[in-house]
Amino acid sequence: MNLLGGIAVFVTLLVIKIQDSMAVCGYESCPITKDNLINIHLVPHSHNDVGWLKTADQSYYGYKNNIHHAGVQYILDNVVTELLKDSSRRFIQVETAFFSKWWKEQTATMKSAVKKLVNEGRLEFTGGAWSMNDEGSVNYQPVIDQFTHGLKFLNETFGSCARPRVGWQIDTFGHSREQASLFAQMGYDGQFFSRMDHNDKDTRLENLSMEMIWQASESLQDLELFSGLLYAFYSDTPGYGFCFDVLCNDSPIIDGNSYDNNVKSRIDEFISYASEVAEHYRTNHIMIPLGGDYQYEDAQVNFKNMDKLIKYLNERQSEGSQFNIFYSTPSCYLNSLHQSGQTWPNKAQDFFPYAHEPNSFWTGYFTSRPNQKRFERIGNHMLQTAKQLSTFAQLESEQQKKDLDFLREIMGVMQHHDAITGTERQAVSNDYDRLLHKAIVGAENNARDALRVLTNLTNGEFESCLQLNISVCAFTKDSADDVVVTLFNPLAHTSTQYVRVPVKDESYEVTNEKGTVVASEIVPVAWQVLDLEYRSNDTQHELIFKASVDKIANYYIKKVDNSAKAFDDGESKVPLRFKEINSLKNTDTFADDSSETVVKTSLIKLVIDNESGRLKNIEMNGVSENIQQNFGVYKSYESCPYTFRQNNDIEVFENNFEFTVYDGTLVKEVHQQVNEWISQVIRIYEGVNHVEFEWLVGPISTDDNLGKEVVTYFQSEIESNGVFYTDSNGREILKREKDQRESFVADLSKAPNSGNYYPVTSRIALQDENKRMALLNDRSQGGTGMDNGRLEIMLHRRHFFNDGGGVGEALNEEQFGTGLIARGQLYLMLNPVNKGATISERLTEKEIILPFWKFFSKASTATSAVPKALPSFDVLPDSVHLLTLEPFTEKEILLRVENILDVNEGNTVCFNPRLILDGLSGQEIRETTLDGNLPLTEMKRFKFTHDSSSVQSKSPEYFTASYIPLEAKSRDLIDSQICLDPMQIRTFIIKT
Ligand SMILES: *[C@@H]1O[C@H](CO)[C@@H](O)[C@H](O)[C@H]1NC(C)=O
Ligand SMILES: *[C@@H]1O[C@H](CO)[C@@H](O)[C@H](O)[C@H]1NC(C)=O
Ligand SMILES: [Zn+2]
C-alpha cells in the first residue's frame, strides 16, 4: 500500500465514523413524547401484498391498474422524496420482496439518500421478511427461511440500523403462537396485528386487553412476545374518515382562506377518534396507523395532510388540549409502552379461528387450493435439498448462487398471506405456480451440479420427476433399465423409506451400492389415476423398494427377463407381481368370516368391511380400534376462498365403496372407489408404523350448483369428548376443545363445525386414557376433532360464490377444462397413550416433510471418480433435527439445529459439534439469533411486566440470551458442547 492510498483509506474511515456517530437510529431516534399528555403515534404505512388481485410484479410496476390500483415502485419513489423534505416525517417499509426489487433499480445518489433515512430512523423496516407471511397454513421452516433472507438483505444493504424490531402481521387471517415464538427467537421486541375474532376483540376492547404478553412456548423459557391488536382495521379510522390518499375520498385538511376551511372540524374529529382509541388502551400512548393497501403512491398528498393534522392538533395544546401527535413508528410506540412501567395481561393459546362477523370463520383458507399448498411443500423440500447439497459441494458460481437465491425468494413469496393461503385470484395463483416451478428447476440444476461432485456419476443427469404423485416420470417412461436412483436424505439421521418409481409393466432388479440385490416389487397404479385424461399413460406400474440412506445413496435398477429372482437377504422371496385379489373371493389372507377382508403386515392389521368397502378396524402398536373412515361434503352457497360458511351439516356418503386388494410382500394396498370423483388407496408397508391414505378428489361435482367442502373423517371409539390437538406451524402442539376459546365466548350458532376448524399444518390427534389416534398430512389443511372419537380433515373445496371478501372471484379452480383434481396423503398412527406415541409422530412428521429426494440418471454416467466426502451428522442426538444447512455469505455457512421434542416428550440433549465442523471445514463459529443475522451476544429485547407479577421493576427490563452463546474464533476453541432444551433451535454461522 502506498502512502497516499493509506491516507485515502484513513480519510474514508474517518468520514464513515463521523456519519456513524451522527446517525441515530432505532429507539434512540424515537420522537420525544410528553408524559402529561396522550401521545398519538401516527404511523404512515402502506400494505403491499406480494400478489393478490394482480401478480407481485404487476403490483410492483403498477400494471393492470384497472384490476387493482397498485404500483409499489411509485410508492417507494414518492415516499422517499417526501421523507427527504422534512426530517420529522417517518414511514415504515414491510415487505422486503418489494423493497429489494426497488433498491436494485436506484441510482447511487438515491441509495445514499435512502441510507441516510434509514440511519436516522426515518425510514424504518418493520416486519422485514421477504413477505408478510400467513400464520395458518405455513410450516415454520420456510417462515424462518424467509425471515433469514429478508433480514440478511437489510443487514447487507444498510447494517444494523435496518434491523426490524417489531413484527407487523396486520393482515394475516388469524395468528399462530408459533409465529410469536419465532419473533421472540429472532429477538423482536413485539408485534402488532389487526385481525381477531370479533367476539374476542369486543371482549378485549371492554376489558383493556388489546395488548398482551404472549407466552409463545410451552417448552421454552423466556419466549414471551408483546403482542398488540390495532384498534381498527389497519386501513381505517372508522366513522371518522382520515384516509388522506388518492385512493380514498375523505376530506383533506383545508387551512387556507376558503369557505371550505375545515381545520376546526377535522381536528375535532381526529381528537374524537383518538379519545375513542385511548379509552381502550392502558397507557397514555396510542398508535394510529394511517395507510392501507397500496397507499402512498402519491405520497405528497398523504404527508401534506398529515403535516397539517400534526400542526393544528398540537396547536390545541396551548388551549389545554391533552393530545400530542407526531410521526412515529410501531417500534417507537412499543418503546413508549416498554418505558411506561405498565403491566399487561397474559395470552397462552393462539388466535384461530378468525371470524370477522357471525358465520364468517376464515377456516376455508386452511384448505383452499390444495395443489398449490402441496406445491409449496415441494418447493421447501427442494430448497432444503439444494441448500444442503450446495454446501457440501461448495458451489460458488454466480449462476449457482442466483439459482439458489431465486428459490429462497420465491419460497418467501409463497409464504405470503395471499399465496399459500389460496386467497389470491386464479391468474395470480397461476403466476405463483409458474415462478415456483421455474425456481425449483433452477435449484435442481444446483443439486445436479453438486451431485456430480458428491457421487461418481460425474455426468449424471440427476433429473427430478415432479409428477411422481400421479406415477409419471419422463426419465423412466420408456424404460427404467440401467437407471440409477440417487436418493438424498435431507434429515440428519439415517432414514429407511420405501421408494416408488413409475415403470412399465416389466421385471426389474434393484441393487444397492454394494451390489446387493434389494427386495423390490411391482405394483399396479390405481385405475383412477391411469384414467386421468391429461396423464401420459406410458407407466402403469410402480417399482417399489426399501432404501436406507445416510445422506446420499445410489440404487441401481436393471431390467431382468424372468420373474424368478432370488433375493440376497432371503427375507422376501416374493412374486414380482402382486396378487390381485377380488375382495369377494376368500383366500388365506382373509379372515374366515367372509364379511371382512384382512390386510396385514408384521406391524399393522387392517380390516375392511366387505359390504361397505370401508375401513373398519386397525390394529397396531398393541392397540386394536374400530375406526371407520368415510368421506363427506358440506354444501354451501356462500363460502369463499377465505371462509367456510356452513349452510348445512355434513352429508356423508352412504353408498358402498368398490374395492380391490393388492397383497404384496413389501406393500399391501386397498384401492377404493368412493364415488365418481373420489377414490383412495389405503397402503401399509412392511415394517412401517403408519397407515397411508392416498386420496384423489375431483373434479368436485357441480350438479346441484352448490359449493362443496370435501372432507374425510376417521370415526373411532376413543372417548375424546371434543378435546383434540393440532400443531402450530408444524412445531408445538395446542390443545383444542369443542366450542371453547381461551378468553371469550365465540358465536358458533350458525357455523358450529366451521368455528371448530383449526389449521392442521402437520398433525391432528385425539386420545382418551388408553388410546391415541393421530393424522399427519402432506400439506396444510383444515381439520377438527369436535365430535367424540372423530378426526376430520378438509381435503378440497370448490365454490361458485364471489363473497365480496375482497378477492372478487369464486374459488372455482379448473384445470384441463374441468374442475381441479387434487391428490395427497394422510398418515394415520394409532398408539397406546404414552410418551413414545407422540415422539414417533414427530419423527414421522419429519420424514413426511423432508423425505428422500429422488434423482434419476443413466447408469452409464458413472465413472471411477472418487466422490467428495460428506460431513457426518451422526453425533447429533436422535431428537436433534438438521433444520438448516446453507451457504450464507462468502465463506460462511449457516447451520440450524433443533430439538424436536417438547418438554413432555424429551430432555435437554447435547453434542459435540467438532466432527460436523471438521466435515464442513469450519474455522470459526458464532451463534446468532434464529434468523442468522444478529450475534446472539448482542440480542437484547424488551421484557414486559405481567399483570400477575408481584414485583414491579422501576426501570425497563430486557431479555438477553439465557446462556452463554457459542463463539469460537479459532478451531482449537471449538470444543464446547452444544446443548438443546426441548423445542430449542440454535443457529450458528460457520466461517470456512
Ligand atoms: C460408482 O460407485 C459405485 C458405488 O460405490 C460402484 O459400485 C461403482 O463401481 C462405481 N462406478 C465406477 C464406474 O467406478
Ligand atoms: C451484517 O452484515 C455485516 C456485513 O455485511 C456483517 O459483518 C455482520 O456480521 C452482519 N450482522 C450481523 C449482526 O451478523
Ligand atoms: Zn394483505
Side-chain angles (χ1 to χ4, degrees):
M1 192 206 300
N2 64 33
L3 190 59
L4 278 178
I7 289 171
V9 168
F10 180 70
V11 170
T12 320
L13 282 177
L14 197 69
V15 170
I16 290 171
K17 233 192 137 77
I18 288 168
Q19 273 183 350
D20 270 358
S21 62
M22 291 193 312
V24 178
C25 61
Y27 295 123
E28 285 172 50
S29 71
C30 285
I32 293 163
T33 63
K34 298 188 176 172
D35 283 352
N36 55 339
L37 299 180
I38 294 175
N39 294 283
I40 307 171
H41 294 251
L42 189 64
V43 175
H45 78 107
S46 182
H47 177 63
N48 301 330
D49 289 313
V50 188
W52 179 39
L53 306 181
K54 308 196 293 196
T55 68
D57 264 15
Q58 289 163 358
S59 307
Y60 177 79
Y61 289 110
Y63 181 41
K64 302 205 174 183
N65 273 353
N66 57 326
I67 295 177
H68 189 200
H69 195 105
V72 177
Q73 58 167 338
Y74 307 126
I75 295 174
L76 285 163
D77 288 343
N78 294 329
V79 160
V80 168
T81 307
E82 289 305 308
L83 289 178
L84 290 170
K85 284 183 187 167
D86 179 337
S87 66
S88 74
R89 291 176 174 179
R90 286 167 192 254
F91 189 80
I92 60 168
Q93 171 57 36
V94 182
E95 303 83 3
T96 298
F98 282 136
F99 184 82
S100 64
K101 190 175 174 80
W102 178 82
W103 179 255
K104 290 193 187 104
E105 295 174 1
Q106 303 312 304
T107 61
T109 319
M110 186 58 153
K111 284 183 176 171
S112 65
V114 173
K115 277 187 180 155
K116 182 176 150 72
L117 292 175
V118 172
N119 289 340
E120 293 173 359
R122 293 154 65 188
L123 178 64
E124 177 176 301
F125 294 97
T126 304
W130 205 250
S131 71
M132 185 186 295
N133 63 259
D134 168 53
E135 301 184 39
S137 38
V138 294
N139 179 280
Y140 70 103
Q141 185 171 39
V143 172
I144 295 171
D145 280 351
Q146 74 120 6
F147 270 88
T148 303
H149 197 63
L151 299 189
K152 182 163 174 261
F153 170 85
L154 295 177
N155 182 43
E156 284 177 349
T157 310
F158 300 105
S160 59
C161 281
R163 189 169 172 88
R165 306 300 317 168
V166 170
W168 190 246
Q169 296 289 103
I170 55 166
D171 195 23
T172 72
F173 319 145
H175 303 281
S176 71
R177 195 176 69 185
E178 192 57 36
Q179 181 71 40
S181 166
L182 299 180
F183 273 130
Q185 295 176 61
M186 292 185 288
Y188 280 65
D189 288 314
Q191 67 166 336
F192 293 97
F193 43 69
S194 57
R195 290 188 189 272
M196 184 181 292
D197 183 287
H198 60 110
N199 293 121
D200 194 359
K201 185 172 177 183
D202 290 347
T203 309
R204 288 178 181 280
L205 282 168
E206 209 163 291
N207 62 20
L208 293 191
S209 52
M210 295 287 276
E211 295 171 324
M212 67 208 86
I213 301 173
W214 203 339
Q215 299 297 141
S217 171
E218 242 166 63
S219 291
L220 294 161
Q221 300 303 304
D222 289 358
L223 269 203
E224 299 180 344
L225 189 77
F226 183 93
S227 300
L229 180 68
L230 304 181
Y231 177 71
F233 193 53
Y234 63 82
S235 54
D236 292 336
T237 49
Y240 294 93
F242 283 93
C243 181
F244 299 129
D245 192 274
V246 287
L247 297 176
C248 328
N249 293 311
D250 296 344
S251 310
I253 294 177
I254 302 167
D255 56 351
N257 183 7
S258 164
Y259 176 75
D260 292 321
N261 184 307
N262 61 6
V263 172
K264 177 165 186 326
S265 64
R266 294 262 60 197
I267 299 302
D268 285 348
E269 281 158 355
F270 198 87
I271 287 178
S272 301
Y273 179 62
S275 320
E276 193 182 305
V277 177
E279 266 173 44
H280 298 282
Y281 288 83
R282 293 191 174 193
T283 72
N284 66 330
H285 291 268
I286 58 172
M287 172 162 67
I288 298 184
L290 279 195
D293 292 4
Y294 300 104
Q295 290 190 13
Y296 289 75
E297 183 174 317
D298 195 346
Q300 188 200 357
V301 178
N302 305 70
F303 279 105
K304 190 166 192 175
N305 281 286
M306 288 187 292
D307 283 350
K308 290 180 186 176
L309 174 68
I310 291 169
K311 175 177 169 208
Y312 294 113
L313 199 144
N314 286 342
E315 271 181 17
R316 297 258 182 115
Q317 286 167 21
S318 59
E319 301 160 18
S321 159
Q322 299 178 51
F323 290 90
N324 182 36
I325 188 170
F326 40 83
Y327 286 116
S328 186
T329 63
S331 72
C332 288
Y333 170 64
L334 188 66
N335 185 44
S336 295
L337 299 188
H338 185 236
Q339 305 276 330
S340 72
Q342 179 64 49
T343 66
W344 307 94
N346 199 54
K347 169 77 185 173
Q349 292 282 305
D350 63 5
F351 291 101
F352 288 112
Y354 163 62
H356 68 292
E357 59 184 30
N359 195 21
S360 290
F361 289 101
W362 293 40
T363 50
Y365 92 83
F366 301 152
T367 299
S368 295
R369 300 192 189 278
N371 287 1
Q372 180 182 289
K373 283 185 165 67
R374 174 64 197 152
F375 198 29
E376 183 275 340
R377 290 286 196 271
I378 294 171
N380 180 58
H381 187 193
M382 182 76 248
L383 181 57
Q384 305 311 326
T385 299
K387 282 175 169 187
Q388 289 190 23
L389 285 170
S390 301
T391 308
F392 296 144
Q394 293 170 304
L395 300 188
E396 274 173 344
S397 82
E398 281 312 306
Q399 187 60 42
Q400 287 160 339
K401 285 184 194 162
K402 232 170 104 178
D403 283 342
L404 193 57
D405 270 344
F406 189 55
L407 182 54
R408 284 182 172 118
E409 289 167 11
I410 299 307
M411 282 302 293
V413 170
M414 291 308 295
Q415 307 311 307
H416 162 54
H417 59 269
D418 291 305
I420 190 163
T421 53
T423 58
E424 73 280 27
R425 285 213 176 149
Q426 189 57 47
V428 178
S429 174
N430 297 346
D431 193 57
Y432 289 139
D433 289 348
R434 175 187 69 81
L435 288 166
L436 183 54
H437 182 260
K438 187 175 163 202
I440 288 175
V441 168
E444 280 171 358
N445 291 341
N446 274 13
R448 181 201 58 220
D449 294 349
L451 286 166
R452 286 179 175 172
V453 179
L454 300 170
T455 70
N456 68 358
L457 300 155
T458 47
N459 297 305
E461 290 89 352
F462 296 106
E463 278 190 22
S464 302
C465 291
L466 293 179
Q467 290 185 302
L468 290 174
N469 62 332
I470 52 166
S471 311
V472 168
C473 176
F475 206 79
T476 60
K477 77 178 171 55
D478 298 323
S479 170
D481 193 19
D482 277 329
V483 163
V484 189
V485 187
T486 303
L487 300 172
F488 178 72
N489 174 18
L491 303 177
H493 302 288
T494 301
S495 174
T496 301
Q497 296 169 25
Y498 282 91
V499 175
R500 300 176 75 98
V501 178
V503 292
K504 286 183 125 68
D505 190 9
E506 297 170 330
S507 300
Y508 294 97
E509 186 177 81
V510 181
T511 49
N512 64 18
E513 286 174 354
K514 295 194 194 97
T516 312
V517 176
V518 299
S520 66
E521 56 194 30
I522 305 271
V523 192
V525 173
W527 67 262
Q528 293 89 350
V529 174
L530 300 181
D531 239 28
L532 295 171
E533 269 175 48
Y534 51 86
R535 182 187 179 277
S536 76
N537 253 346
D538 302 304
T539 48
Q540 308 209 356
H541 291 76
E542 287 191 314
L543 171 68
I544 297 180
F545 62 92
K546 188 172 170 182
S548 185
V549 183
D550 180 358
K551 280 313 278 181
I552 298 175
N554 288 330
Y555 283 81
Y556 306 84
I557 305 175
K558 257 190 118 51
K559 198 165 137 186
V560 291
D561 291 333
N562 59 10
S563 56
K565 298 190 298 174
F567 295 104
D568 292 8
D569 60 7
E571 90 184 12
S572 39
K573 301 230 184 314
V574 287
L576 271 180
R577 296 294 315 272
F578 273 68
K579 278 181 272 178
E580 196 168 320
I581 301 157
N582 183 318
S583 63
L584 297 175
K585 255 190 264 160
N586 227 347
T587 77
D588 314 346
T589 36
F590 301 160
D592 293 333
D593 173 4
S594 68
S595 69
E596 52 190 38
T597 300
V598 173
V599 185
K600 60 181 187 187
T601 62
S602 61
L603 298 180
I604 302 177
K605 177 175 154 195
L606 302 178
V607 180
I608 309 291
D609 181 87
N610 281 350
E611 184 168 340
S612 70
R614 285 191 249 289
L615 175 70
K616 186 168 145 184
N617 182 280
I618 300 181
E619 231 179 272
M620 61 189 286
N621 296 317
V623 176
S624 171
E625 179 68 16
N626 290 330
I627 298 177
Q628 204 207 50
Q629 186 210 7
N630 200 355
F631 291 79
V633 291
Y634 293 89
K635 294 183 177 170
S636 82
Y637 306 97
E638 297 184 322
S639 285
C640 73
Y642 309 94
T643 58
F644 158 27
R645 286 198 181 92
Q646 266 185 275
N647 298 93
N648 297 296
D649 201 357
I650 185 173
E651 287 178 30
V652 304
F653 292 106
E654 307 284 1
N655 61 296
N656 295 334
F657 304 171
E658 279 174 25
F659 73 104
T660 340
V661 176
Y662 296 92
D663 189 17
T665 304
L666 301 182
V667 69
K668 325 268 171 180
E669 298 191 343
V670 180
H671 293 200
Q672 295 167 309
Q673 176 73 16
V674 175
N675 71 3
E676 279 156 45
W677 46 273
I678 303 178
S679 64
Q680 177 175 260
V681 177
I682 308 177
R683 193 174 281 141
I684 44 177
Y685 288 102
E686 182 50 49
V688 172
N689 227 336
H690 55 253
V691 187
E692 206 174 289
F693 295 82
E694 188 160 37
W695 49 270
L696 182 71
V697 177
I700 297 174
S701 137
T702 60
D703 288 354
D704 45 15
N705 278 320
L706 291 175
K708 290 182 192 64
E709 322 285 352
V710 182
V711 306
T712 185
Y713 65 81
F714 296 80
Q715 179 69 58
S716 73
E717 289 166 6
I718 296 169
E719 293 291 333
S720 58
N721 295 314
V723 174
F724 57 107
Y725 302 84
T726 60
D727 66 288
S728 186
N729 305 135
R731 236 165 82 84
E732 294 191 49
I733 299 296
L734 290 172
K735 180 177 176 185
R736 313 294 189 182
E737 259 175 285
K738 178 175 190 271
D739 299 346
Q740 297 301 307
R741 302 291 196 261
E742 184 180 1
S743 58
F744 69 101
V745 179
D747 175 1
L748 294 156
S749 55
K750 294 210 178 96
N753 298 72
S754 176
N756 276 297
Y757 256 70
Y758 287 89
V760 181
T761 41
S762 68
R763 173 158 61 136
I764 181 168
L766 53 74
Q767 63 185 44
D768 58 19
E769 281 171 13
N770 305 310
K771 302 171 184 173
R772 174 178 171 91
M773 173 170 72
L775 280 180
L776 282 59
N777 57 9
D778 65 344
R779 75 200 67 193
S780 138
Q781 294 163 322
T784 185
M786 63 187 285
D787 295 319
N788 197 24
R790 174 160 161 168
L791 290 178
E792 176 176 309
I793 292 270
M794 190 183 291
L795 302 174
H796 195 359
R797 46 199 322 257
R798 186 176 191 189
H799 294 285
F800 310 105
F801 176 72
N802 161 16
D803 82 318
V807 74
E809 266 182 14
L811 181 72
N812 181 7
E813 289 183 278
E814 296 198 336
Q815 231 169 23
F816 309 105
T818 178
L820 182 83
I821 300 174
R823 194 174 200 216
Q825 295 175 332
L826 292 172
Y827 308 82
L828 186 144
M829 299 178 83
L830 186 63
N831 273 295
V833 170
N834 60 33
K835 202 163 146 172
T838 56
I839 294 175
S840 65
E841 288 165 18
R842 289 212 185 264
L843 297 172
T844 304
E845 220 167 84
K846 294 299 170 215
E847 289 185 352
I848 293 170
I849 194 162
L850 295 173
F852 300 155
W853 189 282
K854 296 170 231 180
F855 296 94
F856 297 87
S857 304
K858 283 283 170 200
S860 57
T861 57
T863 65
S864 56
V866 180
K868 186 174 181 302
L870 294 175
S872 163
F873 296 91
D874 286 346
V875 293
L876 296 180
D878 289 343
S879 68
V880 175
H881 176 50
L882 180 60
L883 182 57
T884 320
L885 183 70
E886 64 176 329
F888 199 58
T889 57
E890 211 64 33
K891 302 257 174 263
E892 284 184 337
I893 294 168
L894 184 150
L895 169 72
R896 242 183 228 115
V897 285
E898 174 190 14
N899 184 349
I900 60 170
L901 299 185
D902 70 22
V903 73
N904 303 310
E905 297 164 328
N907 303 310
T908 302
V909 291
C910 302
F911 66 95
N912 186 317
R914 190 75 199 220
L915 283 176
I916 295 176
L917 291 166
D918 284 350
L920 296 169
S921 314
Q923 308 294 327
E924 288 180 26
I925 186 167
R926 67 175 189 274
E927 184 162 8
T928 66
T929 47
L930 180 64
D931 56 286
N933 286 286
L934 182 73
L936 191 56
T937 46
E938 288 173 27
M939 201 260 308
K940 181 182 173 199
R941 60 187 202 89
F942 292 168
K943 182 174 182 178
F944 289 85
T945 314
H946 290 267
D947 280 346
S948 57
S949 165
S950 48
V951 273
Q952 205 171 326
S953 137
K954 288 269 182 307
S955 55
E957 293 185 291
Y958 298 86
F959 287 117
T960 52
S962 56
Y963 54 92
I964 299 168
L966 181 63
E967 249 189 293
K969 291 266 191 242
S970 106
R971 284 175 50 75
D972 303 337
L973 299 175
I974 311 176
D975 245 339
S976 29
Q977 295 270 307
I978 292 178
C979 293
L980 293 150
D981 291 336
M983 277 291 143
Q984 192 180 3
I985 302 175
R986 291 181 68 176
T987 307
F988 304 95
I989 302 294
I990 298 165
K991 264 204 153 74
T992 61

